[in-house]
Amino acid sequence: MLDIRIKLRIIEIMELALELNNKEKNTVFINFMGHTPSFSISIHYSGWKNNKEADYRETVYFTELMIKEKLKQLDKIIEILKELK
């Protein structure tokens, strides 16, 4: 089971991604994989284009018990998304 702090940060990331995807210039893809468990995000700063790699990509695996490190990774993602607003 995921730590509540991790759950709350994932929800915040998803909310920010939904907000940003309403704007024309950014495209954000988010994915939570329950079987791993892991969370991934990719951001295309100028919008998604066929055969173009994401400008930013991060995957956070929650199988390890290093919660502080995982929280820092999620906080970094939140910071990047807030800068795009």
Side-chain angles (χ1 to χ4, degrees), residues 40-71:
S40 68
I41 185 168
S42 59
I43 304 171
H44 297 262
Y45 294 136
S46 300
W48 180 86
K49 292 184 180 44
N50 195 21
N51 296 323
K52 184 178 179 289
E53 289 293 319
D55 298 296
Y56 175 81
R57 183 182 309 267
E58 182 76 37
T59 301
V60 183
Y61 294 95
F62 302 112
T63 54
E64 303 165 17
L65 296 176
M66 298 180 296
I67 291 182
K68 285 185 181 180
E69 179 182 312
K70 304 307 174 182
L71 291 171

Side-chain angles (χ1 to χ4, degrees), residues 3-36:
D3 182 281
I4 187 68
R5 295 168 293 173
I6 289 174
K7 288 180 187 179
L8 292 173
R9 280 172 175 80
I10 290 172
I11 291 168
E12 183 177 358
I13 289 168
M14 292 177 142
E15 288 174 345
L16 288 166
L18 288 169
E19 245 181 76
L20 286 168
N21 280 333
N22 284 327
K23 297 179 180 182
E24 289 182 30
K25 69 176 190 171
N26 301 301
T27 304
V28 181
F29 293 89
I30 51 178
N31 193 9
F32 181 81
M33 289 76 63
H35 70 292
T36 317

